[in-house]
Amino acid sequence: MASCCQKMPEGGAILSYDDVTDYRAAQDAMVHMAYHDALTGLPNRRSFREEIQRLSSWSGGVAIVMLDLDHFKTVNETLGQLAGDAALTQVADRLVPVCRPGDRLFRLEGDEMAVIATVGSEAEARALADALLAALAAPKRIRALGVRIAMDDFGTGYSSLAHLRDFELDRIKIDRSFVDTDLNDVGSRAVIRAVTSLARDLDILTIGEGIETEGQLKRLIDLGCDVGQGCFLSKPLDGVAAGHLIAIRMFEDDLADERREALAALPQRRIA
């Protein structure tokens, strides 16, 4: 509340009160916008400069860790700005928990970020840098748990050859528009052959989508496709049925492994 007292000529006074809550909230919001990044909510370059100036008289050790994202330009150009913004937000969310009390994380511009930390030794600074990099390497840890990355609808939309170069893909799913076509379609056959050949050279598994007939399946096999997907092989399943199918396949795989191990344990006969 803001108050004002106005004395009257004939004596007495008029007291007035104004609710300035909204005004002060708007002022606070404007200050916050001036010093923070609108996308991630992190302190911005202006905050970074002022923090550097403030710490210029600091007698202890100060570490500045600079970060940028590999292939961020490719993400923006191929997947669009929304995907780039989502990547930056996720990076910020991963880095914030790593920072210790007193550390400050900034987004400078684009994909550039920085952490300012007061440290007692070079070893502490290196430990912080390692922790930040480890947080950004989470997808590699996910891969180590068995998760694989596939490029869907390859050959159409946002997918491009640049993805094969810039991202560590495990599988390429050939778009159904090249699979569910006439068996005499020379263009589709040429595209499928080119994709499977390229995938083999890069050691990436290929999956043909949208198989509707036995002929389409045979064509994919003849052209070197590794895996097929479509209604000819299985109709869409709900969660329960899919779970049962996965359990059966895992059981069959376990039986096959046990059979191979049993055969390997049998004494080998020599042929004279």
Side-chain angles (χ1 to χ4, degrees):
M1 298 291 289
S3 60
C4 177
C5 178
Q6 181 180 1
K7 293 183 177 181
M8 302 300 294
E10 63 277 9
I14 298 177
L15 296 176
S16 60
Y17 297 90
D18 294 316
D19 186 351
V20 294
T21 302
D22 292 342
Y23 173 74
R24 289 183 177 173
Q27 280 189 318
D28 292 341
M30 291 178 63
V31 172
H32 186 274
M33 290 171 59
Y35 285 92
H36 291 79
D37 173 53
L39 176 65
T40 62
L42 297 175
N44 58 17
R45 179 178 289 275
R46 181 177 181 180
S47 295
F48 178 77
R49 288 198 301 262
E50 293 192 7
E51 184 69 3
I52 292 291
Q53 185 176 2
R54 185 183 71 83
L55 292 173
S56 61
S57 59
W58 175 259
S59 59
V62 176
I64 302 177
V65 182
M66 306 296 293
L67 302 162
D68 62 52
L69 306 181
D70 293 339
H71 310 306
F72 179 72
K73 183 179 179 182
T74 302
V75 172
N76 258 348
E77 291 177 350
T78 58
L79 302 181
Q81 184 178 347
L82 290 178
D85 289 349
L88 290 172
T89 302
Q90 186 177 107
V91 167
D93 290 342
R94 290 183 184 178
L95 295 180
V96 168
V98 179
C99 295
R100 307 161 305 173
D103 297 344
R104 295 195 68 189
L105 173 64
F106 303 83
R107 182 192 175 195
L108 304 182
E109 62 181 359
D111 64 331
E112 295 180 5
M113 296 187 184
V115 177
I116 298 180
T118 54
V119 297
S121 66
E122 182 179 347
E124 288 184 43
R126 290 185 179 277
L128 174 61
D130 290 343
L132 294 170
L133 291 176
L136 294 180
K140 293 183 180 180
R141 295 198 298 271
I142 292 174
R143 187 187 296 274
L145 296 175
V147 176
R148 296 295 177 260
I149 301 174
M151 173 60 65
D152 198 17
D153 300 333
F154 189 79
T156 63
Y158 287 117
S159 65
S160 73
L161 293 176
H163 291 143
L164 303 184
R165 178 195 63 199
D166 297 329
F167 302 111
E168 297 181 11
L169 299 175
D170 300 291
R171 290 162 175 74
I172 296 173
K173 300 185 72 175
I174 303 171
D175 188 71
R176 66 179 300 128
S177 62
F178 303 110
V179 176
D180 187 15
T181 61
D182 188 276
L183 297 181
N184 297 318
D185 187 336
V186 177
S188 293
R189 177 178 290 269
V191 170
I192 295 171
R193 182 185 293 111
V195 173
T196 56
S197 176
L198 181 61
R200 278 195 303 273
D201 290 341
L202 296 172
D203 196 25
I204 300 175
L205 197 73
T206 50
I207 303 173
E209 297 179 335
I211 301 174
E212 301 289 340
T213 67
E214 183 177 0
Q216 293 170 358
L217 175 61
K218 185 177 184 303
R219 178 176 61 178
L220 283 174
I221 294 173
D222 292 342
L223 294 176
C225 188
D226 299 299
V227 178
Q229 173 185 330
C231 288
F232 176 74
L233 301 174
S234 174
K235 298 292 184 181
L237 304 175
D238 60 26
V240 175
H244 289 164
L245 179 62
I246 293 172
I248 292 172
R249 292 291 184 265
M250 293 177 66
F251 179 70
E252 291 175 347
D253 290 343
D254 289 341
L255 286 179
D257 290 341
E258 291 177 4
R259 183 172 183 274
R260 282 192 293 268
E261 292 173 1
L263 290 174
L266 291 176
Q268 301 295 318
R269 295 184 179 179
R270 290 188 177 183
I271 300 177

